[in-house]
Amino acid sequence: MSTKISDVIIPEVFNPYVIQRSMELSALYQSGIIANTTEFDRLANSGGTLVHMPYWEDLTGDDEVLSDQGALTPGKITAGQDVARRQARGRAWGVNDLAHLLAGDDPMRAIGDLVAGYWARRFQAILLSTLDGIFGAATMSGNVHDISSEAGDGAYINGNTFIDATQKLGDAKGQLTGVLMHSATEAYLAKQQLIEYVQEAGQSDRVPTYMGKRVIVDDGIPFDTDTGVTTTYLFGPGAIALGNGDAMGAVPLTETDRNALAGEDYLINRRVFILHPRGVKWTETSVTGAFPTNAELATSTNWQRVYENKAIRIVAFKHKVALGSGGGGENGGENGGENGGEV
């Protein structure tokens, strides 16, 4: 009798392995942009759909000169509230005797790596939908640098315009350590020799960087092939909070099943999690089901900024890249020659 998925998948071992491996495979997690903490794991398991996270606002007001003619005027501290959304997703796969085909290796590890890679990609898509949503909200306009409608070279990404984008956080711009961009943007900068590759300690692969910030490439970012307009996102460490849930009530996160007549094995994997941009609360304005879809995550009315702008470690930089040249042609050549030495 052939080895089946149900013979090699042990749910209480498989699910933690998939969670850990999906984080290891995520460039966003490895760069520190997404941060997983035990506190957010606990919140992901807290039940309900909304997670309320109160916080203290910073102290404000001018100091006062001491005098023997009067008393100091007491100030006050106020509280605010961030709100995250618990999410739940699932995927099922059915293959004839999949585990048998993988025999000769560790089949659970092989299957786990495939599932983990899938979730790493899906979480990145969920994050991009979230970014669409938060930067569509009017309250986030202070974290947007849009030069895409500027004349001539003023609309293109280069050393100067990138620095202008970091300046959206003012004296907190030093917190920005990572850049998420479309592959066309990365190619455009690479052809201008503005992408550097750094060998990090303990890593076999070299890591691309731009202006000293780690580059993560994802073609899920919108790119207008007619105009060359796209968005590059700048992040600080821990800008996105990740919480992994390890339970879903009476429904197991990992199940196997088999259709004996068809010789079909099924693997069902579910994820319960929080993936939350710190300081931008979820308003639940437009959600039709028990959990939001990617389209609902991308709906701007579902988001509202609650931290001050510079405390939110994300900037959206909307710009152009030269089409079909990657740094050549009129705009690309001028940008590359004029700004290349400044970076």
Side-chain angles (χ1 to χ4, degrees):
M1 182 178 178
S2 299
T3 302
K4 309 303 179 188
I5 286 181
S6 58
D7 296 322
V8 298
I9 295 296
I10 305 169
E12 58 268 26
V13 175
F14 182 81
N15 201 62
Y17 177 82
V18 167
I19 290 173
Q20 183 60 37
R21 281 292 289 154
S22 64
M23 291 192 294
E24 291 173 2
L25 293 169
S26 169
L28 288 164
Y29 181 81
Q30 293 304 310
S31 69
I33 290 169
I34 295 178
N36 175 232
T37 65
T38 55
E39 173 62 13
F40 269 87
D41 285 349
R42 182 188 67 79
L43 293 173
N45 284 313
S46 61
T49 57
L50 299 180
V51 178
H52 297 271
M53 300 173 291
Y55 64 93
W56 293 112
E57 301 278 7
D58 202 357
L59 301 177
T60 60
D62 296 331
D63 56 29
E64 299 176 11
V65 176
L66 295 178
S67 170
D68 60 1
Q69 302 299 312
L72 293 172
T73 304
K76 65 179 181 179
I77 186 170
T78 58
Q81 183 165 255
D82 196 359
V83 180
R85 187 52 155 89
R86 288 182 79 223
Q87 301 191 56
R89 303 289 177 98
R91 190 75 169 95
W93 296 270
V95 180
N96 280 353
D97 299 328
L98 174 61
H100 177 68
L101 294 174
L102 295 171
D105 192 1
D106 179 348
M108 187 168 77
R109 178 175 179 176
I111 296 169
D113 281 351
L114 291 172
V115 174
Y118 168 81
W119 283 118
R121 295 189 299 272
R122 294 315 305 156
F123 270 47
Q124 201 144 310
I126 291 167
L127 175 60
L128 287 174
S129 293
T130 299
L131 293 174
D132 281 348
I134 66 173
F135 283 110
T139 54
M140 283 292 289
S141 61
N143 289 64
V144 177
H145 185 56
D146 185 355
I147 62 170
S148 61
S149 61
E150 295 292 325
D153 290 337
Y156 289 79
I157 182 172
N158 56 51
N160 289 337
T161 58
F162 188 83
I163 290 172
D164 290 339
T166 67
Q167 186 59 28
K168 299 300 290 186
L169 295 194
D171 57 9
K173 62 189 173 186
Q175 298 181 58
L176 298 172
T177 58
V179 189
L180 178 63
M181 62 178 63
H182 192 279
S183 64
T185 304
E186 187 264 348
Y188 175 70
L189 295 172
K191 287 185 178 183
Q192 296 177 40
Q193 299 184 347
L194 300 181
I195 299 288
E196 296 184 346
Y197 295 87
V198 178
Q199 187 80 42
E200 293 187 341
Q203 299 294 322
S204 58
D205 296 329
R206 294 189 304 161
V207 174
T209 65
Y210 177 61
M211 301 283 284
K213 307 182 193 308
R214 180 167 178 167
V215 172
I216 301 102
V217 177
D218 193 316
D219 280 345
I221 295 173
F223 179 81
D224 191 323
T225 56
D226 292 325
T227 63
V229 173
T230 185
T231 301
T232 293
Y233 296 100
L234 290 67
F235 293 90
I240 307 296
L242 170 64
N244 290 300
D246 58 15
M248 196 175 173
V251 181
L253 294 181
T254 299
E255 289 184 279
T256 60
D257 198 3
R258 178 166 177 79
N259 183 336
L261 293 176
E264 186 94 345
D265 272 333
Y266 299 103
L267 172 64
I268 304 101
N269 190 231
R270 303 177 180 91
R271 297 292 296 270
V272 179
F273 59 95
I274 292 171
L275 194 65
H276 182 66
R278 292 177 182 269
V280 189
K281 79 173 183 179
W282 175 261
T283 64
E284 196 79 359
T285 300
S286 177
V287 178
T288 57
F291 297 99
T293 64
N294 281 6
E296 289 167 338
L297 291 174
T299 301
S300 61
T301 53
N302 280 323
W303 299 99
Q304 180 182 343
R305 178 179 60 83
V306 290
Y307 287 7
E308 65 172 310
N309 290 98
K310 66 172 61 176
I312 297 172
R313 289 161 283 183
I314 317 174
V315 171
F317 178 23
K318 191 173 182 180
H319 57 81
K320 287 183 178 180
V321 299
L323 294 170
S325 61
E330 180 180 351
N331 290 305
E334 291 180 9
N335 283 338
E338 192 174 300
N339 298 294
E342 298 175 5
V343 178

